[in-house]
Amino acid sequence: MRVVLAEDLFLLRDGLVRLLQAHGFEIAAAVESGPELAAALAELDPEVAVVDVRLPPTHTDEGLQCALDARRKRPGLPVLVLSQHVEQLYARELLADGTGGVGYLLKDRVFDAEQFVDAVRRVAAGGTAMDPQVIQQLLARRSGDDRPLARLTPREREVLELMAQGRSNAAIAGRLVVTERAIAKHTANIFAKLGLEVSDDDNRRVLAVLAYLDHGR
Amino acid sequence: MTTETKNGNGRTTGRGIGLAAVRGLALALVSLPGAVLCFCLSLVSIALIPIGVGLVTTPYVLTGVRAFADWRRVLAAEWGGVRIPPAYRPLPERADPWTRTVALLRDPATWRDLRWLPVDMTAGFVTALLPAVLLLYPLEGFALAIGLWRVFPDGYWYGFVPVTGQASAFGAAALGLVLLFLAHFLTPRLLGVHFRLTRAVLGGNQRELAERVRVLTETRRDAVDASAAELRRIERDLHDGAQARLVAVGMDLGTIEALLDKDPAQAKELIARTRRSSVEALSELRELVRGIHPPVLAERGLGDAVRALALRLPVATEVSVDLPGRAEAPVESAAYFAVSEVLTNAVKHSGADRIWIDLHRADGMLRATVTDNGKGGAVIGAGSGLAGVERRLGTFDGVLAVSSPAGGPTMVTVEIPCA
C-alpha cells in the first residue's frame, strides 16, 4: 500500500517510515513541509496519506489545511492526521464532507504499533479512526444533560465509544472480550435509543454517531 | 552660568542680567522664523495629504518640528531650569509612509507641537525679546541724554517722555535708569516666563502623565508577579510530573535490560508499564503546553481557539466571531485566557444551560462578551476568578465589565486595546 508521509521532525518521520515499512507499506514519499506535501499528494496519488497537523513553513495547521485541500480536489482521499494534541474542532472539519476515509489521532498512538497500523489500514479502506480523546470529549459534553445519551447503560456507552472511534463489531467484541453477537445486540440497542438507523457500513456508523453527537448544539 | 539665572528668581548679578538678555534675544531671533517655518511647512504638508504628496513629506516635516520642539526643551532645561518632558509615542520602525503619517497624526503630542508653534511665534517671541529690550532700551535713554537727541530736531518720544531738548533728554535718561533698575529684577524672570509659557503649551498634562505612570507601575508589578508565579508553577509541574516520569522510564529501561535474559516475562510486564509512563508524561506535557499557549491558538488564532474551547464545555455554547486579521500574540493570549477564565466561572457557578460568546474587533478594540442564562450574582471581588482576570488584563490596558443582577443573566465583557 502506497503511503505519503508528512512530518517535520526527523526522528518521528524516520520512525514512522520504518514502522510502516515493517508492516508492509510502501512509502511513496516522506516529506517535511506543507508545499512538499501538497505536491506529493497531487502527483503521487497515494492510497493513504499520514499527515502531521503542524508543518513548516507556517508551523500552524499547514498539514491539516493541505489534507483538507487535497480531499476537496480528490474526494475520499484517505487521510490520517496525526497531532500532538487533538481538538474536536479539527475532527469536525475532517469529518465534515461525510465521505469517510479520515483519521485523526494523537501522535502517542504510534506507541502501540499494532493499533496504529490498524488505524492506517482502516482509514485507507475508507473507514474512520477517531482518537479516543476526541470521542471522550464528545461523550463527556453530552453526558451532562438529559438527552437520550443518558439512557445508555455503561456497557452501551463503552460500545458507543469504540464504535465512534471507527471500529467494527468484531474489533469491539475482541476488545471487550465478548461475542460479536453480544456487540450486535448492544449496537442495535444504542441505535434504537439514539434514534439512528442501523447500518452495516462501518464508516456510516461512525458518521451517524458523530452526526448525532453533533446535533442539537 | 550662575544659579541665580537658572532659577530665574532671587538675587541676580549684572552678568546674569546680561546673559538673560542675550539669550532672550537669541531665542527671539531663532524662534520667530523657526516657528513660522515649521508651522507653514506643517500646514502645507498636512493639507497635501489628500493628493499623496503630504504622505511622503509629513513624516519628515513633523520629525523636524519635533526636533525643533526638543531643542527648545533642552534650552528650557539648561537656561531656565524648566523641565518639559517629551511625551511622543514611539514611531513604527521602517513602516510605509502612510503608517508613519497616520501614527504621527494620531499622536496627541503632534497636535500639541502644532498648537505651540503659533504661540511661540507670538507670545513666545515677545517674552523672549522683552529681556533684551528691557536692557537695551535704557541704553537708548542714556544715549539720548549724551547727545543723540540732537539727531531728532522735531522731537522724539522716549517711552512717555517727549524729548525736545537736553532737559527732556535727561528725563529720558532718568526713565532709562528706572527701567534699568526694573530690568535688574525682571530680566531673568521674563525669560523664565518664556520657558514657563513653552512648558504650559508644549508639555503634556502632568497630572495625566503622573496617573499613567502610577497605573503602569502597578500593572507592571502585577505582570511581573503573575509571570513569576506562572514560571514557578511550570517548573513545579515539570519537576514533579513529566520529568519524574521520564526518570522512572529510564530506570525501568535499565531494569528491563537486566531482566531481558533472566526473566523475559517480567521484562515484558515492565515494558508495558514503561510505555504507560511515557504516555502519561506526554499527556502531562500536553496539558502544560495548553496552559502556557493553547495549540489551537497558535495554529488558528483567537476565533478558532475560543471555538475549540467552547466545544470542550459541558454547557451548550454558541460562538460568534468577527475578527478581521489576527491581533498581536500577547493580546490574543490575554483575551483567550480571560475568556477561558470567565467561561470556567460561568460553568462552575452560574448554573446556566446556555452560553453565548461574542468576539469582535473594531476601533482598535478587541471585545469579548460572554453571556449566560444562569442565576447571576457574579461580582468582581476578592477571591473570585474575575478579580484575577481583571488584574491580568490591566497589563494590556484592558478592562473587564460585569453585569450580573441576582436572578441573571450574567454578561461579562472583556475589552483590550489592539492597534
Side-chain angles (χ1 to χ4, degrees):
Chain A
M1 200 176 282
R2 287 158 47 76
V3 185
V4 162
L5 184 70
E7 163 64 58
D8 58 327
L9 297 175
F10 170 76
L11 278 176
L12 266 176
R13 186 169 65 243
D14 198 45
L16 279 170
V17 166
R18 258 184 277 167
L19 177 67
L20 289 172
Q21 274 172 344
H23 284 81
F25 288 88
E26 180 199 333
I27 306 295
V31 300
E32 54 181 316
S33 78
E36 284 175 315
L37 171 63
L41 287 178
E43 285 161 24
L44 301 173
D45 198 30
E47 285 164 272
V48 61
V50 178
V51 175
D52 183 9
V53 167
R54 213 183 268 205
L55 284 181
T58 56
H59 283 289
T60 58
D61 60 345
E62 185 105 10
L64 179 66
Q65 299 299 350
C66 266
L68 290 172
D69 204 40
R71 274 172 68 84
R72 269 192 290 276
K73 286 182 190 135
R74 192 189 127 188
L77 169 73
V79 175
L80 175 62
V81 175
L82 294 178
S83 177
Q84 212 65 262
H85 65 103
V86 292
E87 289 289 345
Q88 281 190 56
L89 194 73
Y90 295 175
R92 280 155 203 273
E93 286 174 0
L94 280 163
L95 289 165
D97 59 11
T99 52
V102 284
Y104 180 37
L105 295 179
L106 270 182
K107 279 188 180 165
D108 321 9
R109 304 299 167 205
V110 297
F111 285 6
D112 192 331
E114 294 299 330
Q115 274 197 35
F116 173 69
V117 170
D118 179 50
V120 179
R121 291 222 168 88
R122 230 163 45 222
V123 169
T128 55
M130 284 294 128
D131 198 278
Q133 273 210 352
V134 176
I135 308 301
Q136 268 161 18
Q137 277 179 20
L138 279 168
L139 294 178
R141 234 192 81 84
R142 287 286 148 226
S143 61
D145 52 26
D146 54 6
R147 285 158 211 273
L149 208 60
R151 296 206 298 267
L152 298 182
T153 64
R155 191 56 158 194
E156 282 165 357
R157 289 177 58 84
E158 240 175 308
V159 173
L160 175 66
E161 223 173 294
L162 290 165
M163 202 158 66
Q165 287 172 25
R167 291 171 199 284
S168 67
N169 278 4
I172 297 172
R175 189 77 185 271
L176 300 179
V177 208
V178 290
T179 61
E180 221 182 307
R181 277 181 60 83
I183 299 300
K185 218 179 82 197
H186 282 312
T187 48
N189 282 343
I190 294 167
F191 284 139
K193 284 183 184 175
L194 299 187
L196 293 168
E197 282 183 31
V198 186
S199 153
D200 286 335
D201 185 342
D202 280 352
N203 174 27
R204 293 245 165 272
R205 279 182 0 156
V206 175
L207 292 180
V209 171
L210 289 175
Y212 163 75
L213 292 171
D214 233 16
H215 185 71
R217 288 189 53 79
Chain B
M1 192 183 310
T2 58
T3 38
E4 288 87 83
T5 43
K6 229 181 168 178
N7 296 333
N9 55 23
R11 205 171 51 84
T12 44
T13 63
R15 191 163 153 259
I17 296 167
L19 201 61
V22 170
R23 283 172 173 171
L25 187 63
L27 258 180
L29 289 180
V30 177
S31 76
L32 181 62
V36 170
L37 185 72
C38 283
F39 192 62
C40 293
L41 280 178
S42 303
L43 283 190
V44 171
S45 181
I46 290 171
L48 286 183
I49 286 177
I51 62 163
V53 181
L55 283 181
V56 183
T57 56
T58 305
Y60 293 106
V61 171
L62 289 183
T63 312
V65 171
R66 280 183 184 193
F68 183 61
D70 276 338
W71 177 64
R72 299 294 295 276
R73 286 188 175 93
V74 172
L75 288 189
E78 283 191 355
W79 291 0
V82 177
R83 273 198 66 243
I84 310 173
Y88 299 117
R89 290 179 188 165
L91 269 182
E93 288 283 330
R94 280 196 298 278
D96 53 294
W98 170 250
T99 317
R100 288 177 68 87
T101 305
V102 168
L104 276 164
L105 291 184
R106 282 176 64 145
D107 190 346
T110 300
W111 297 102
R112 211 154 36 220
D113 283 356
L114 293 182
R115 218 168 45 226
W116 163 69
L117 288 174
V119 175
D120 190 47
M121 68 178 84
T122 52
F125 171 71
V126 171
T127 47
L129 196 60
L130 268 178
V133 170
L134 218 49
L135 207 62
L136 293 177
Y137 202 48
L139 297 185
E140 190 192 339
F142 301 145
L144 284 170
I146 293 168
L148 190 67
W149 63 273
R150 291 180 213 278
V151 183
F152 308 103
D154 298 337
Y156 176 78
W157 282 89
Y158 178 79
F160 53 84
V161 182
V163 181
T164 47
Q166 187 61 52
S168 51
F170 277 127
L175 178 61
L177 207 60
V178 172
L179 283 177
L180 198 61
F181 180 71
L182 285 177
H184 175 74
F185 293 105
L186 287 180
T187 307
R189 283 182 201 184
L190 272 173
L191 200 61
V193 166
H194 170 82
F195 290 131
R196 274 200 294 279
L197 176 75
T198 308
R199 180 174 62 186
V201 188
L202 198 55
N205 189 331
Q206 285 296 318
R207 216 167 20 176
E208 199 178 284
L209 281 175
E211 172 65 15
R212 182 87 193 112
V213 167
R214 192 188 63 75
V215 170
L216 283 176
T217 312
E218 210 166 89
T219 54
R220 187 184 58 181
R221 196 178 50 233
D222 284 344
V224 169
D225 284 354
S227 73
E230 186 72 1
L231 278 178
R232 271 199 303 279
R233 184 186 66 81
I234 293 167
E235 191 271 339
R236 202 177 49 233
D237 284 359
L238 279 174
H239 190 263
D240 298 349
Q243 213 174 348
R245 281 189 206 283
L246 288 174
V247 170
V249 167
M251 271 181 352
D252 283 351
L253 283 174
T255 317
I256 290 165
E257 215 166 22
L259 281 176
L260 213 51
D261 296 323
K262 276 185 275 174
D263 191 349
Q266 210 196 333
K268 216 170 169 185
E269 207 174 295
L270 258 185
I271 288 176
R273 200 177 83 185
T274 310
R275 194 163 66 194
R276 272 202 305 279
S277 288
S278 73
V279 168
E280 275 160 19
L282 264 178
S283 72
E284 269 171 22
L285 285 174
R286 194 173 291 127
E287 280 310 305
L288 203 60
V289 168
R290 203 189 282 290
I292 299 168
H293 193 58
V296 190
L297 186 62
E299 287 160 6
R300 292 281 185 88
L302 184 60
D304 276 354
V306 170
R307 277 196 191 103
L309 190 62
L311 284 174
R312 283 201 300 274
L313 291 183
V315 178
T317 308
E318 257 174 62
V319 185
S320 73
V321 177
D322 176 19
L323 298 172
R326 284 187 67 168
E328 281 167 39
V331 171
E332 273 197 335
S333 187
Y336 175 86
F337 283 110
V339 169
S340 167
E341 185 70 37
V342 171
L343 284 174
T344 309
N345 249 18
V347 169
K348 242 197 253 171
H349 306 300
S350 77
D353 62 3
R354 279 201 93 75
I355 297 178
W356 296 267
I357 307 172
D358 183 58
L359 292 175
H360 70 274
R361 194 176 153 188
D363 309 325
M365 279 286 181
L366 180 65
R367 207 165 285 128
T369 312
V370 177
T371 314
D372 68 55
N373 62 352
K375 62 183 186 322
V379 282
I380 311 178
S384 87
L386 293 178
V389 175
E390 192 183 34
R391 232 193 15 255
R392 265 170 292 155
L393 284 174
T395 320
F396 296 87
D397 285 337
V399 289
L400 177 83
V402 178
S403 149
S404 183
T410 299
M411 186 166 127
V412 180
T413 306
V414 171
E415 230 180 44
I416 306 175
C418 60

